[in-house]
Amino acid sequence: MLQLHYREMGQGTPLVILHGLFGTLDNWQTLARRWAEAGHRVISADLRNHGRSPHSPEHTYPAMAADVLGLFDQLGLGPETTLLGHSMGGKAAMRFALDYPDRLGKLIVVDIAPRASDMRHQDAILAGLNSVDFTQCTSRQAADEALARHISSFGVRQFLLKNLYRQDDNSFAWRVNLPVLTAEMAAIGTEITGAQPFLKPALFINGGTSDYIDAEDKLHGIPALFPNSQVATVLDAGHWVHSEKPDEVFGLVQAFIGS
């Protein structure tokens, strides 16, 4: 169990937010601030091997869920807490809900299903990140140019470049533990299963143009583990629903927590 780096704001009903693969808690700060202003105690965390949280050779969902349990214990979070996770963070949140159901009031999963993924869609991103030679790369622009040889999307590159930081010796490095994430990509794609379903309320938010949650997931995969769940589709949004349609996500979460 690792002690996660987190940021806290606001007072009221607790809401814990977990980011996705290659992300940090900063990805959710605009919405976190809005939920705090709306009357919630919002805790955003960096998952292991991401952001400012510790690195570890293990990167599995049981390990991530145990880290989150440690955060709950550290902050004295009770069973009225809502846990929200996006993508990889959504799978970590599902694992937590299934492993520690008594610690949670409600679950929110953003654009990910419990089923397995072969993670081939991450190949170009891994190739790009691993291609940056920090002995030669002396600027953000140089890092972007290296990424661009593998990743055509400007938006994806900008998202990844949020991981770039200067070390004490002024050289650049990635905040993510890239060697471990590269080695553990199959584990990140693994299916979430449970001996017992999570019976409390769960909200799955999916982007209307994203394929991370499909018809089969809605019909069978999600209800099998989360029988008291609903799926809300945000039209004209892709996988990064919260950055593409923040007002819609804000409203859905507010209504669900208040229901």
Side-chain angles (χ1 to χ4, degrees):
M1 186 185 294
L2 302 180
Q3 190 165 6
L4 299 179
H5 172 254
Y6 68 93
R7 191 176 298 151
E8 184 173 354
M9 57 181 90
Q11 292 178 314
T13 318
L15 170 65
V16 176
I17 302 174
L18 308 178
H19 62 80
L21 180 62
F22 304 124
T24 73
L25 59 78
D26 290 335
N27 303 149
W28 281 85
Q29 280 317 278
T30 303
L31 277 169
R33 199 169 294 111
R34 288 180 66 179
W35 285 317
E37 290 165 356
H40 301 290
R41 178 189 178 192
V42 184
I43 296 114
S44 312
D46 284 334
L47 289 165
R48 62 170 50 207
N49 295 315
H50 288 74
R52 290 173 170 81
S53 280
H55 287 185
S56 166
E58 185 181 6
H59 197 83
T60 64
Y61 290 113
M64 284 184 258
D67 294 342
V68 175
L69 179 65
L71 185 67
F72 272 55
D73 289 343
Q74 181 186 348
L75 298 178
L77 295 172
E80 76 283 5
T81 304
T82 298
L83 179 60
L84 179 157
H86 171 240
S87 200
M88 179 190 73
K91 279 193 162 181
M94 286 186 251
R95 183 73 274 148
F96 182 92
L98 292 163
D99 287 352
Y100 314 106
D102 296 343
R103 301 300 301 268
L104 213 52
K106 294 180 177 179
L107 172 70
I108 302 172
V109 176
V110 182
D111 212 58
I112 196 76
R115 65 177 152 87
S117 165
D118 64 18
M119 301 305 284
R120 278 200 299 256
H121 58 287
Q122 299 293 345
D123 287 354
I125 288 176
L126 285 173
L129 289 169
N130 281 293
S131 75
V132 180
D133 178 1
F134 287 117
T135 63
Q136 306 294 322
C137 174
T138 55
S139 70
R140 185 182 174 86
Q141 184 182 343
D144 183 47
E145 288 168 0
L147 290 177
R149 288 194 274 274
H150 299 271
I151 303 159
S152 59
S153 168
F154 176 75
V156 171
R157 297 201 308 275
Q158 292 305 107
F159 165 74
L160 294 171
L161 286 167
K162 289 178 181 174
N163 283 289
L164 198 64
Y165 80 107
R166 283 194 186 275
Q167 303 182 99
D168 292 340
D169 65 1
N170 217 34
S171 66
F172 280 111
W174 296 124
R175 286 206 183 277
V176 289
N177 186 348
L178 187 56
V180 165
L181 294 181
T182 302
E184 295 297 305
M185 198 51 61
I188 296 168
T190 195
E191 181 183 6
I192 300 296
T193 61
Q196 299 292 328
F198 178 74
L199 300 175
K200 294 174 184 177
L203 171 66
F204 284 72
I205 300 173
N206 83 293
T209 63
S210 168
D211 59 2
Y212 279 70
I213 295 178
D214 64 20
E216 180 69 15
D217 298 322
K218 294 175 186 176
L219 200 60
H220 298 295
I222 291 169
L225 289 175
F226 306 98
N228 190 11
S229 65
Q230 54 184 296
V231 179
T233 299
V234 178
L235 299 176
D236 301 319
H239 185 52
W240 281 279
V241 196
H242 53 292
S243 59
E244 293 173 41
K245 299 283 184 175
D247 292 343
E248 286 84 343
V249 172
F250 173 81
L252 285 167
V253 170
Q254 273 293 98
F256 178 67
I257 294 177
S259 63

